[in-house]
Amino acid sequence: MPRTPATKYHQLRDFLRGRIVSGEYEVGTTIPAERDLQATFGVSRSTVRHALRDLTDLGLVRATVGVGTVVIRSRPAVQQSSLRGFTEDLAVRGTPTTAHVVSAVISPPPPHVRDRLELPATEAVLHLVRLRSVAGTPLALMHNFVPASIGIGVDEDFTRPLYELLERDHERFITYGRDSITARAAREDEAQHLDVSPGTPVLNLKRIAYVEHDRPIEYVEAAVRGDLYEYNVTLLRGKERR
Amino acid sequence: MPRTPATKYHQLRDFLRGRIVSGEYEVGTTIPAERDLQATFGVSRSTVRHALRDLTDLGLVRATVGVGTVVIRSRPAVQQSSLRGFTEDLAVRGTPTTAHVVSAVISPPPPHVRDRLELPATEAVLHLVRLRSVAGTPLALMHNFVPASIGIGVDEDFTRPLYELLERDHERFITYGRDSITARAAREDEAQHLDVSPGTPVLNLKRIAYVEHDRPIEYVEAAVRGDLYEYNVTLLRGKERR
DNA sequence: AAGTGGTCTAGACCACAGA
DNA sequence: CTGTGGTCTAGACCACTTT
């Protein structure tokens, strides 16, 4: 027994949801009109609309003026991709990789990095350059930038997943990240590290990762061999706001 | 002037949102009580609550019984990226594009397409080839494959967003999609359409879009000029979802 | 006790879609 | 035209938090 007694709109919502997931209200069909539900259940239209709003938020129905409320899904949504570090991502997909630390220095950031990390002019960053390989074949050359102020040094074990390092040893919990991906030709130095000829197409991945309060904590720029890596993401089609 | 006049709750919501983002209502403080807003703006309490609901959905405020409605952040909460068609995506970002239909035929699908669309051997697909340009410059050459069984023909207006076509005219509501992105060299025919030399790096975007019951409804394969387009996605880290 | 958001009612008019 | 969801009003009682 729920400690909070079910309200009318909860009861109505759960009733309708049951009909939808059981298939009694089939996908593509309309459920009874709001005024019909109002009469059937002896509640006000506001209460009906409150219940329907919840179903809409759950992505089960879609209301259209002049048409009705249509069932668009009968079961819970597929899970959306979540932010993963490169190492984590490849590990999840069963591809063991090795990391070679090319360099790790504390230095003033380049302007575009300082900009993306929203840093004051005086603050230094840890600039980490790593080459990631799979089965001995170079896969990606990555530049990671992390504000020095979080207390990270150059002596950490950077062959471990960086996010694990940030979360376990420095208690910085990443909440979200923005990835930007383009295709471009490999530059001279990248080509050398990646063991390809200059001009070979590479995936250019840029990421800003954020901790709580929307503060940037990491900026990554990576050149990934296009012939060896595929960036995968699952996206839901949501309701548009505004 | 907006073609749809702003409703009262839109006006109130936008007013309050302005106060919040400008800092006049500071984070951690309460905004005026619902009955005060009701009196101040001369609207009903339902209208006030409708406006506040939107602000809650945006993650700007949190209502607590007995306390009030507290400002919890001054910037809109981060939203996960949602699946958008190419046209929709560019439109949202303010880049008007034009589409040129290279070809539109109903034909038996290539094996890898039939595989990805999980089609029986006998079923044909609509194979759509379009060149998308921005300001006269070719941007992407796209191949779209849609099962013929949904009743889509070759005479539709394919310059419109394809998802709009599917959703409005064919009542197929896309629920999610999987994108796979790599970098590769432009092939001869692509180079010609995209007005670049063969071998130029392009973003290779593959997508399977699904409707209810995890049924594939569309397979896309696109070659996008890496120098003109950036694939952007915002991902949350960790679990928790509703 | 006073004030808050949460729920709920019983109406009303509107714009839009479809027959 | 009818029926639909979208908006809006002017009340009401409740459970909860704070004073």
Side-chain angles (χ1 to χ4, degrees), chain A residues 53 73-74 78 80 82-83 88 167 175-183 206 214 226 230-237 241, chain B residues 53 73 75 78-79 81-83 88 167 175-181 183 206 212-213 226 229-237:
Chain A
R53 188 201 315 156
R73 197 187 349 244
S74 67
V78 172
Q80 179 132 351
S82 66
L83 186 72
E88 292 174 321
E167 296 187 344
T175 52
Y176 69 98
R178 291 187 209 281
D179 290 357
S180 297
I181 301 167
T182 59
K206 290 175 286 188
D214 300 344
E230 204 173 54
Y231 181 93
N232 283 283
V233 65
T234 299
L235 296 176
L236 305 185
R237 183 160 176 85
R241 291 196 203 281
Chain B
R53 187 202 315 157
R73 60 196 311 155
R75 290 193 275 183
V78 172
Q79 289 198 9
S81 296
S82 65
L83 186 70
E88 292 174 321
E167 297 189 342
T175 53
Y176 69 99
R178 290 187 209 284
D179 289 358
S180 296
I181 301 168
K206 289 174 288 187
E212 171 63 10
H213 298 321
Y229 182 72
E230 205 173 53
Y231 182 91
N232 283 284
V233 65
T234 299
L235 296 176
L236 304 185
R237 181 164 176 83

Short mmCIF file of all heavy atoms in Angstrom, two decimals, chain A residues 53 73-74 78 80 82-83 88 167 175-183 206 214 226 230-237 241, chain B residues 53 73 75 78-79 81-83 88 167 175-181 183 206 212-213 226 229-237:
data_model
loop_
_atom_site.label_atom_id
_atom_site.label_comp_id
_atom_site.label_asym_id
_atom_site.label_seq_id
_atom_site.Cartn_x
_atom_site.Cartn_y
_atom_site.Cartn_z
N ARG A 53 -1.05 14.36 -19.44
CA ARG A 53 0.24 15.04 -19.50
C ARG A 53 1.36 14.10 -19.07
O ARG A 53 2.44 14.07 -19.68
CB ARG A 53 0.21 16.26 -18.59
CG ARG A 53 1.42 17.17 -18.72
CD ARG A 53 1.58 18.05 -17.48
NE ARG A 53 0.30 18.62 -17.06
CZ ARG A 53 0.03 19.02 -15.83
NH1 ARG A 53 0.95 18.89 -14.88
NH2 ARG A 53 -1.14 19.52 -15.53
N ARG A 73 3.60 4.57 -28.41
CA ARG A 73 4.55 3.59 -27.89
C ARG A 73 3.87 2.78 -26.83
O ARG A 73 3.03 3.28 -26.10
CB ARG A 73 5.76 4.32 -27.30
CG ARG A 73 6.93 3.43 -27.12
CD ARG A 73 8.11 4.02 -26.40
NE ARG A 73 8.14 5.42 -26.15
CZ ARG A 73 9.04 6.25 -26.66
NH1 ARG A 73 9.92 5.83 -27.50
NH2 ARG A 73 9.04 7.51 -26.31
N SER A 74 4.21 1.53 -26.72
CA SER A 74 3.52 0.69 -25.75
C SER A 74 4.45 0.17 -24.66
O SER A 74 4.05 -0.55 -23.78
CB SER A 74 2.85 -0.49 -26.45
OG SER A 74 3.84 -1.35 -26.96
N VAL A 78 13.80 3.09 -25.21
CA VAL A 78 15.17 2.60 -25.27
C VAL A 78 16.08 3.59 -24.54
O VAL A 78 15.84 4.78 -24.54
CB VAL A 78 15.60 2.50 -26.74
CG1 VAL A 78 17.07 2.19 -26.85
CG2 VAL A 78 14.78 1.44 -27.46
N GLN A 80 19.11 5.90 -23.79
CA GLN A 80 19.98 6.76 -24.56
C GLN A 80 21.44 6.50 -24.21
O GLN A 80 21.76 6.07 -23.11
CB GLN A 80 19.63 8.21 -24.22
CG GLN A 80 20.47 9.22 -24.92
CD GLN A 80 19.62 10.29 -25.55
OE1 GLN A 80 18.40 10.18 -25.59
NE2 GLN A 80 20.24 11.34 -26.05
N SER A 82 25.10 7.09 -22.96
CA SER A 82 25.62 7.96 -21.92
C SER A 82 27.09 8.28 -22.22
O SER A 82 27.74 7.59 -22.99
CB SER A 82 25.48 7.31 -20.55
OG SER A 82 26.30 6.17 -20.46
N LEU A 83 27.55 9.32 -21.59
CA LEU A 83 28.90 9.80 -21.86
C LEU A 83 29.93 8.81 -21.33
O LEU A 83 29.92 8.45 -20.16
CB LEU A 83 29.10 11.16 -21.19
CG LEU A 83 30.41 11.86 -21.50
CD1 LEU A 83 30.41 12.38 -22.93
CD2 LEU A 83 30.61 13.02 -20.55
N GLU A 88 36.86 3.68 -21.68
CA GLU A 88 35.66 3.01 -21.23
C GLU A 88 34.83 2.51 -22.41
O GLU A 88 34.33 1.40 -22.42
CB GLU A 88 34.80 3.97 -20.39
CG GLU A 88 35.42 4.35 -19.07
CD GLU A 88 34.58 5.41 -18.36
OE1 GLU A 88 34.06 6.31 -19.05
OE2 GLU A 88 34.47 5.32 -17.14
N GLU A 167 37.16 10.81 -11.06
CA GLU A 167 36.05 10.52 -10.17
C GLU A 167 36.50 9.85 -8.88
O GLU A 167 35.98 10.16 -7.80
CB GLU A 167 35.02 9.65 -10.90
CG GLU A 167 34.40 10.40 -12.09
CD GLU A 167 33.26 9.66 -12.75
OE1 GLU A 167 33.11 8.45 -12.51
OE2 GLU A 167 32.52 10.30 -13.52
N THR A 175 29.12 15.19 -15.14
CA THR A 175 27.68 15.05 -15.28
C THR A 175 27.24 14.98 -16.74
O THR A 175 26.26 14.34 -17.06
CB THR A 175 26.95 16.22 -14.61
OG1 THR A 175 27.49 17.46 -15.09
CG2 THR A 175 27.17 16.17 -13.10
N TYR A 176 27.96 15.67 -17.61
CA TYR A 176 27.60 15.58 -19.02
C TYR A 176 28.75 16.09 -19.87
O TYR A 176 29.74 16.62 -19.35
CB TYR A 176 26.32 16.35 -19.34
CG TYR A 176 26.45 17.85 -19.25
CD1 TYR A 176 26.66 18.61 -20.41
CD2 TYR A 176 26.35 18.52 -18.05
CE1 TYR A 176 26.77 19.99 -20.34
CE2 TYR A 176 26.46 19.89 -17.98
CZ TYR A 176 26.67 20.62 -19.13
OH TYR A 176 26.78 21.98 -19.06
N GLY A 177 28.63 15.92 -21.16
CA GLY A 177 29.66 16.38 -22.07
C GLY A 177 29.10 16.69 -23.43
O GLY A 177 28.04 16.19 -23.80
N ARG A 178 29.78 17.57 -24.12
CA ARG A 178 29.38 17.89 -25.50
C ARG A 178 30.46 17.42 -26.46
O ARG A 178 31.61 17.83 -26.32
CB ARG A 178 29.21 19.40 -25.68
CG ARG A 178 28.05 20.00 -24.97
CD ARG A 178 27.90 21.47 -25.38
NE ARG A 178 27.31 22.26 -24.31
CZ ARG A 178 26.02 22.28 -24.02
NH1 ARG A 178 25.18 21.57 -24.74
NH2 ARG A 178 25.56 23.02 -23.03
N ASP A 179 30.09 16.60 -27.40
CA ASP A 179 31.03 16.14 -28.42
C ASP A 179 30.79 16.86 -29.73
O ASP A 179 29.64 17.07 -30.13
CB ASP A 179 30.86 14.63 -28.65
CG ASP A 179 31.35 13.81 -27.47
OD1 ASP A 179 31.87 14.42 -26.52
OD2 ASP A 179 31.23 12.57 -27.50
N SER A 180 31.87 17.21 -30.39
CA SER A 180 31.79 17.75 -31.75
C SER A 180 32.70 16.92 -32.63
O SER A 180 33.86 16.72 -32.29
CB SER A 180 32.22 19.22 -31.79
OG SER A 180 31.35 20.01 -31.02
N ILE A 181 32.17 16.48 -33.73
CA ILE A 181 32.92 15.55 -34.58
C ILE A 181 32.97 16.04 -36.01
O ILE A 181 31.94 16.40 -36.59
CB ILE A 181 32.26 14.16 -34.55
CG1 ILE A 181 32.23 13.64 -33.11
CG2 ILE A 181 33.00 13.19 -35.46
CD1 ILE A 181 31.35 12.45 -32.94
N THR A 182 34.15 16.07 -36.55
CA THR A 182 34.31 16.39 -37.96
C THR A 182 35.27 15.39 -38.58
O THR A 182 35.87 14.57 -37.89
CB THR A 182 34.86 17.82 -38.18
OG1 THR A 182 36.13 17.92 -37.53
CG2 THR A 182 33.93 18.86 -37.64
N ALA A 183 35.41 15.48 -39.89
CA ALA A 183 36.40 14.67 -40.60
C ALA A 183 37.43 15.63 -41.18
O ALA A 183 37.08 16.70 -41.68
CB ALA A 183 35.74 13.88 -41.72
N LYS A 206 36.17 16.46 -30.62
CA LYS A 206 36.38 17.45 -29.56
C LYS A 206 35.31 17.26 -28.51
O LYS A 206 34.16 17.01 -28.83
CB LYS A 206 36.31 18.87 -30.13
CG LYS A 206 37.49 19.23 -31.02
CD LYS A 206 37.32 20.59 -31.64
CE LYS A 206 36.28 20.54 -32.74
NZ LYS A 206 36.21 21.80 -33.52
N ASP A 214 27.54 22.99 -14.10
CA ASP A 214 27.93 23.33 -15.46
C ASP A 214 29.35 23.88 -15.56
O ASP A 214 29.63 24.72 -16.41
CB ASP A 214 26.94 24.35 -16.05
CG ASP A 214 25.53 23.80 -16.07
OD1 ASP A 214 25.39 22.58 -15.93
OD2 ASP A 214 24.59 24.58 -16.26
N GLY A 226 40.13 6.90 -39.05
CA GLY A 226 38.78 6.64 -39.54
C GLY A 226 38.57 5.21 -39.97
O GLY A 226 37.44 4.71 -39.98
N GLU A 230 34.77 3.69 -35.03
CA GLU A 230 33.45 4.17 -35.40
C GLU A 230 32.85 4.80 -34.15
O GLU A 230 32.82 4.17 -33.09
CB GLU A 230 32.61 2.97 -35.84
CG GLU A 230 31.47 3.30 -36.75
CD GLU A 230 30.82 2.00 -37.25
OE1 GLU A 230 30.43 1.19 -36.39
OE2 GLU A 230 30.69 1.83 -38.46
N TYR A 231 32.38 6.02 -34.28
CA TYR A 231 31.72 6.68 -33.16
C TYR A 231 30.26 6.29 -33.18
O TYR A 231 29.57 6.50 -34.18
CB TYR A 231 31.88 8.20 -33.29
CG TYR A 231 31.28 9.00 -32.17
CD1 TYR A 231 32.04 9.37 -31.07
CD2 TYR A 231 29.96 9.42 -32.23
CE1 TYR A 231 31.51 10.14 -30.05
CE2 TYR A 231 29.41 10.18 -31.20
CZ TYR A 231 30.19 10.53 -30.12
OH TYR A 231 29.64 11.28 -29.10
N ASN A 232 29.80 5.71 -32.09
CA ASN A 232 28.42 5.23 -32.04
C ASN A 232 27.61 5.96 -30.98
O ASN A 232 28.11 6.21 -29.88
CB ASN A 232 28.40 3.74 -31.72
CG ASN A 232 28.75 2.91 -32.93
OD1 ASN A 232 27.93 2.71 -33.83
ND2 ASN A 232 29.99 2.44 -32.98
N VAL A 233 26.38 6.26 -31.31
CA VAL A 233 25.52 6.92 -30.34
C VAL A 233 24.06 6.57 -30.62
O VAL A 233 23.66 6.42 -31.77
CB VAL A 233 25.75 8.45 -30.37
CG1 VAL A 233 25.32 9.04 -31.69
CG2 VAL A 233 25.06 9.14 -29.21
N THR A 234 23.33 6.36 -29.54
CA THR A 234 21.89 6.12 -29.66
C THR A 234 21.15 7.33 -29.14
O THR A 234 21.37 7.76 -28.02
CB THR A 234 21.48 4.88 -28.84
OG1 THR A 234 22.16 3.73 -29.35
CG2 THR A 234 19.98 4.64 -28.95
N LEU A 235 20.29 7.87 -29.96
CA LEU A 235 19.55 9.06 -29.58
C LEU A 235 18.06 8.80 -29.62
O LEU A 235 17.56 8.14 -30.53
CB LEU A 235 19.88 10.23 -30.51
CG LEU A 235 21.33 10.72 -30.49
CD1 LEU A 235 21.53 11.79 -31.54
CD2 LEU A 235 21.67 11.25 -29.11
N LEU A 236 17.35 9.33 -28.63
CA LEU A 236 15.90 9.24 -28.64
C LEU A 236 15.35 10.44 -29.38
O LEU A 236 15.98 11.49 -29.46
CB LEU A 236 15.36 9.23 -27.21
CG LEU A 236 15.94 8.17 -26.29
CD1 LEU A 236 15.21 8.21 -24.95
CD2 LEU A 236 15.82 6.81 -26.91
N ARG A 237 14.19 10.25 -29.93
CA ARG A 237 13.53 11.37 -30.57
C ARG A 237 12.56 11.96 -29.58
O ARG A 237 11.54 11.36 -29.27
CB ARG A 237 12.81 10.94 -31.83
CG ARG A 237 12.18 12.09 -32.58
CD ARG A 237 11.91 11.70 -34.01
NE ARG A 237 11.21 12.73 -34.74
CZ ARG A 237 11.82 13.76 -35.33
NH1 ARG A 237 13.13 13.87 -35.26
NH2 ARG A 237 11.13 14.66 -35.99
N ARG A 241 10.83 21.40 -27.43
CA ARG A 241 10.34 22.45 -26.54
C ARG A 241 10.39 23.80 -27.24
O ARG A 241 11.12 23.99 -28.17
CB ARG A 241 11.22 22.52 -25.29
CG ARG A 241 11.09 21.33 -24.39
CD ARG A 241 11.68 21.70 -23.04
NE ARG A 241 12.08 20.53 -22.29
CZ ARG A 241 11.26 19.75 -21.60
NH1 ARG A 241 9.98 20.02 -21.57
NH2 ARG A 241 11.71 18.72 -20.96
N ARG B 53 5.10 25.27 -14.39
CA ARG B 53 5.41 23.89 -14.80
C ARG B 53 6.49 23.89 -15.87
O ARG B 53 7.40 23.07 -15.85
CB ARG B 53 4.13 23.23 -15.33
CG ARG B 53 4.27 21.75 -15.63
CD ARG B 53 3.22 21.29 -16.61
NE ARG B 53 1.89 21.81 -16.27
CZ ARG B 53 0.90 21.94 -17.14
NH1 ARG B 53 1.08 21.62 -18.40
NH2 ARG B 53 -0.27 22.42 -16.76
N ARG B 73 18.64 27.14 -10.62
CA ARG B 73 19.73 27.43 -11.56
C ARG B 73 19.32 28.59 -12.43
O ARG B 73 18.16 28.88 -12.61
CB ARG B 73 20.10 26.21 -12.39
CG ARG B 73 18.97 25.67 -13.24
CD ARG B 73 19.26 24.29 -13.71
NE ARG B 73 20.60 24.22 -14.29
CZ ARG B 73 21.32 23.10 -14.34
NH1 ARG B 73 20.82 22.01 -13.83
NH2 ARG B 73 22.49 23.08 -14.89
N ARG B 75 20.68 29.07 -15.57
CA ARG B 75 20.77 28.73 -16.98
C ARG B 75 19.88 27.53 -17.22
O ARG B 75 19.72 26.69 -16.34
CB ARG B 75 22.20 28.37 -17.37
CG ARG B 75 23.14 29.54 -17.35
CD ARG B 75 24.43 29.18 -18.05
NE ARG B 75 25.37 28.52 -17.16
CZ ARG B 75 26.59 28.15 -17.55
NH1 ARG B 75 26.99 28.36 -18.78
NH2 ARG B 75 27.40 27.57 -16.70
N VAL B 78 20.87 21.36 -18.87
CA VAL B 78 21.38 20.69 -20.05
C VAL B 78 20.39 19.63 -20.51
O VAL B 78 19.86 18.89 -19.70
CB VAL B 78 22.72 20.03 -19.72
CG1 VAL B 78 23.18 19.17 -20.88
CG2 VAL B 78 23.74 21.09 -19.40
N GLN B 79 20.15 19.60 -21.77
CA GLN B 79 19.26 18.57 -22.30
C GLN B 79 20.08 17.63 -23.15
O GLN B 79 20.95 18.05 -23.89
CB GLN B 79 18.18 19.21 -23.17
CG GLN B 79 17.18 19.98 -22.35
CD GLN B 79 15.91 20.24 -23.14
OE1 GLN B 79 15.73 19.69 -24.21
NE2 GLN B 79 15.04 21.05 -22.59
N SER B 81 20.88 15.48 -26.23
CA SER B 81 20.54 15.64 -27.63
C SER B 81 19.39 14.71 -27.97
O SER B 81 19.29 13.62 -27.43
CB SER B 81 21.73 15.31 -28.51
OG SER B 81 22.78 16.21 -28.29
N SER B 82 18.54 15.16 -28.85
CA SER B 82 17.51 14.25 -29.33
C SER B 82 17.73 14.02 -30.80
O SER B 82 18.39 14.80 -31.48
CB SER B 82 16.12 14.83 -29.07
OG SER B 82 15.94 16.00 -29.83
N LEU B 83 17.18 12.92 -31.27
CA LEU B 83 17.40 12.54 -32.65
C LEU B 83 16.71 13.51 -33.59
O LEU B 83 15.53 13.78 -33.47
CB LEU B 83 16.83 11.13 -32.88
CG LEU B 83 17.10 10.52 -34.24
CD1 LEU B 83 18.55 10.17 -34.39
CD2 LEU B 83 16.23 9.31 -34.45
N GLU B 88 16.27 19.05 -40.12
CA GLU B 88 15.83 19.62 -38.85
C GLU B 88 17.02 20.13 -38.05
O GLU B 88 16.98 21.21 -37.47
CB GLU B 88 15.10 18.55 -38.02
CG GLU B 88 13.78 18.11 -38.60
CD GLU B 88 13.19 16.94 -37.80
OE1 GLU B 88 13.97 16.05 -37.38
OE2 GLU B 88 11.98 16.93 -37.63
N GLU B 167 6.22 11.23 -40.30
CA GLU B 167 5.38 11.38 -39.13
C GLU B 167 4.00 11.95 -39.46
O GLU B 167 3.00 11.50 -38.91
CB GLU B 167 6.08 12.25 -38.08
CG GLU B 167 7.36 11.58 -37.59
CD GLU B 167 8.00 12.28 -36.41
OE1 GLU B 167 7.65 13.45 -36.16
OE2 GLU B 167 8.83 11.65 -35.75
N THR B 175 11.07 6.73 -32.89
CA THR B 175 11.26 6.78 -31.44
C THR B 175 12.73 6.92 -31.07
O THR B 175 13.05 7.53 -30.07
CB THR B 175 10.68 5.54 -30.77
OG1 THR B 175 11.21 4.36 -31.40
CG2 THR B 175 9.18 5.52 -30.90
N TYR B 176 13.61 6.31 -31.86
CA TYR B 176 15.02 6.50 -31.59
C TYR B 176 15.85 6.11 -32.81
O TYR B 176 15.30 5.59 -33.79
CB TYR B 176 15.46 5.71 -30.37
CG TYR B 176 15.46 4.20 -30.54
CD1 TYR B 176 16.65 3.52 -30.81
CD2 TYR B 176 14.30 3.48 -30.43
CE1 TYR B 176 16.66 2.13 -30.96
CE2 TYR B 176 14.30 2.10 -30.57
CZ TYR B 176 15.48 1.44 -30.84
OH TYR B 176 15.47 0.08 -30.99
N GLY B 177 17.13 6.35 -32.72
CA GLY B 177 18.00 6.00 -33.83
C GLY B 177 19.41 5.75 -33.35
O GLY B 177 19.81 6.22 -32.28
N ARG B 178 20.13 4.96 -34.12
CA ARG B 178 21.54 4.70 -33.81
C ARG B 178 22.40 5.29 -34.91
O ARG B 178 22.24 4.94 -36.07
CB ARG B 178 21.80 3.19 -33.73
CG ARG B 178 21.17 2.52 -32.54
CD ARG B 178 21.63 1.06 -32.47
NE ARG B 178 20.64 0.22 -31.83
CZ ARG B 178 20.42 0.18 -30.52
NH1 ARG B 178 21.15 0.94 -29.72
NH2 ARG B 178 19.50 -0.59 -30.01
N ASP B 179 23.31 6.13 -34.52
CA ASP B 179 24.23 6.74 -35.47
C ASP B 179 25.60 6.10 -35.35
O ASP B 179 26.08 5.83 -34.24
CB ASP B 179 24.38 8.24 -35.21
CG ASP B 179 23.13 9.01 -35.59
OD1 ASP B 179 22.18 8.38 -36.09
OD2 ASP B 179 23.11 10.23 -35.37
N SER B 180 26.22 5.85 -36.49
CA SER B 180 27.61 5.40 -36.52
C SER B 180 28.38 6.34 -37.42
O SER B 180 27.96 6.60 -38.55
CB SER B 180 27.72 3.98 -37.06
OG SER B 180 27.06 3.07 -36.21
N ILE B 181 29.50 6.83 -36.90
CA ILE B 181 30.23 7.85 -37.63
C ILE B 181 31.68 7.46 -37.80
O ILE B 181 32.34 7.09 -36.83
CB ILE B 181 30.14 9.19 -36.90
CG1 ILE B 181 28.68 9.60 -36.75
CG2 ILE B 181 30.93 10.27 -37.62
CD1 ILE B 181 28.47 10.74 -35.80
N ALA B 183 35.37 8.45 -40.40
CA ALA B 183 35.95 9.36 -41.38
C ALA B 183 36.53 8.50 -42.49
O ALA B 183 37.15 7.48 -42.23
CB ALA B 183 37.04 10.20 -40.74
N LYS B 206 26.16 6.91 -40.73
CA LYS B 206 25.17 5.87 -40.97
C LYS B 206 24.16 5.92 -39.83
O LYS B 206 24.54 6.12 -38.68
CB LYS B 206 25.83 4.49 -41.03
CG LYS B 206 26.65 4.26 -42.27
CD LYS B 206 27.40 2.94 -42.22
CE LYS B 206 28.54 2.99 -41.23
NZ LYS B 206 29.39 1.79 -41.27
N GLU B 212 8.11 2.30 -33.24
CA GLU B 212 7.67 1.47 -32.12
C GLU B 212 8.00 -0.01 -32.34
O GLU B 212 8.04 -0.49 -33.46
CB GLU B 212 6.16 1.66 -31.94
CG GLU B 212 5.51 0.74 -30.98
CD GLU B 212 6.05 0.94 -29.58
OE1 GLU B 212 6.78 1.93 -29.37
OE2 GLU B 212 5.76 0.13 -28.71
N HIS B 213 8.28 -0.71 -31.26
CA HIS B 213 8.61 -2.13 -31.29
C HIS B 213 9.97 -2.38 -31.92
O HIS B 213 10.20 -3.45 -32.49
CB HIS B 213 7.55 -2.95 -32.03
CG HIS B 213 6.20 -2.88 -31.39
ND1 HIS B 213 6.04 -2.88 -30.03
CD2 HIS B 213 4.97 -2.77 -31.91
CE1 HIS B 213 4.77 -2.80 -29.75
NE2 HIS B 213 4.08 -2.72 -30.87
N GLY B 226 33.68 17.25 -44.45
CA GLY B 226 34.22 17.45 -43.12
C GLY B 226 34.59 18.90 -42.84
O GLY B 226 34.64 19.32 -41.68
N TYR B 229 30.82 20.67 -41.97
CA TYR B 229 29.81 20.20 -41.02
C TYR B 229 30.46 19.58 -39.80
O TYR B 229 31.48 18.91 -39.87
CB TYR B 229 28.89 19.17 -41.69
CG TYR B 229 27.79 18.67 -40.80
CD1 TYR B 229 26.73 19.49 -40.46
CD2 TYR B 229 27.82 17.38 -40.28
CE1 TYR B 229 25.71 19.05 -39.63
CE2 TYR B 229 26.81 16.92 -39.46
CZ TYR B 229 25.76 17.76 -39.13
OH TYR B 229 24.76 17.30 -38.32
N GLU B 230 29.80 19.81 -38.68
CA GLU B 230 30.26 19.28 -37.41
C GLU B 230 29.10 18.53 -36.79
O GLU B 230 28.01 19.09 -36.67
CB GLU B 230 30.66 20.45 -36.51
CG GLU B 230 31.66 20.11 -35.44
CD GLU B 230 32.10 21.38 -34.73
OE1 GLU B 230 31.20 22.12 -34.27
OE2 GLU B 230 33.30 21.63 -34.67
N TYR B 231 29.33 17.29 -36.43
CA TYR B 231 28.29 16.51 -35.77
C TYR B 231 28.37 16.80 -34.28
O TYR B 231 29.41 16.60 -33.67
CB TYR B 231 28.52 15.02 -36.05
CG TYR B 231 27.48 14.10 -35.47
CD1 TYR B 231 26.37 13.73 -36.17
CD2 TYR B 231 27.66 13.60 -34.18
CE1 TYR B 231 25.42 12.86 -35.63
CE2 TYR B 231 26.71 12.74 -33.63
CZ TYR B 231 25.61 12.38 -34.37
OH TYR B 231 24.68 11.54 -33.82
N ASN B 232 27.28 17.29 -33.72
CA ASN B 232 27.28 17.67 -32.31
C ASN B 232 26.31 16.82 -31.50
O ASN B 232 25.21 16.53 -31.95
CB ASN B 232 26.88 19.14 -32.17
CG ASN B 232 28.01 20.06 -32.53
OD1 ASN B 232 28.94 20.25 -31.76
ND2 ASN B 232 27.94 20.63 -33.72
N VAL B 233 26.74 16.46 -30.32
CA VAL B 233 25.86 15.68 -29.47
C VAL B 233 26.19 15.97 -28.01
O VAL B 233 27.35 16.17 -27.65
CB VAL B 233 25.98 14.18 -29.79
CG1 VAL B 233 27.37 13.64 -29.47
CG2 VAL B 233 24.93 13.37 -29.10
N THR B 234 25.15 16.06 -27.20
CA THR B 234 25.32 16.25 -25.77
C THR B 234 24.88 14.99 -25.05
O THR B 234 23.78 14.51 -25.25
CB THR B 234 24.49 17.44 -25.26
OG1 THR B 234 24.93 18.62 -25.92
CG2 THR B 234 24.64 17.61 -23.75
N LEU B 235 25.78 14.44 -24.24
CA LEU B 235 25.48 13.19 -23.55
C LEU B 235 25.60 13.38 -22.06
O LEU B 235 26.51 14.05 -21.57
CB LEU B 235 26.44 12.09 -24.00
CG LEU B 235 26.37 11.68 -25.47
CD1 LEU B 235 27.44 10.67 -25.80
CD2 LEU B 235 24.99 11.14 -25.80
N LEU B 236 24.67 12.78 -21.33
CA LEU B 236 24.77 12.79 -19.88
C LEU B 236 25.58 11.59 -19.43
O LEU B 236 25.68 10.59 -20.13
CB LEU B 236 23.37 12.74 -19.25
CG LEU B 236 22.41 13.83 -19.69
CD1 LEU B 236 21.12 13.71 -18.88
CD2 LEU B 236 23.03 15.20 -19.50
N ARG B 237 26.19 11.71 -18.26
CA ARG B 237 26.98 10.60 -17.75
C ARG B 237 26.21 9.90 -16.65
O ARG B 237 25.57 10.53 -15.82
CB ARG B 237 28.32 11.09 -17.21
CG ARG B 237 29.19 9.95 -16.68
CD ARG B 237 30.61 10.41 -16.53
NE ARG B 237 31.47 9.41 -15.93
CZ ARG B 237 32.05 8.42 -16.62
NH1 ARG B 237 31.82 8.31 -17.91
NH2 ARG B 237 32.84 7.56 -16.02
#
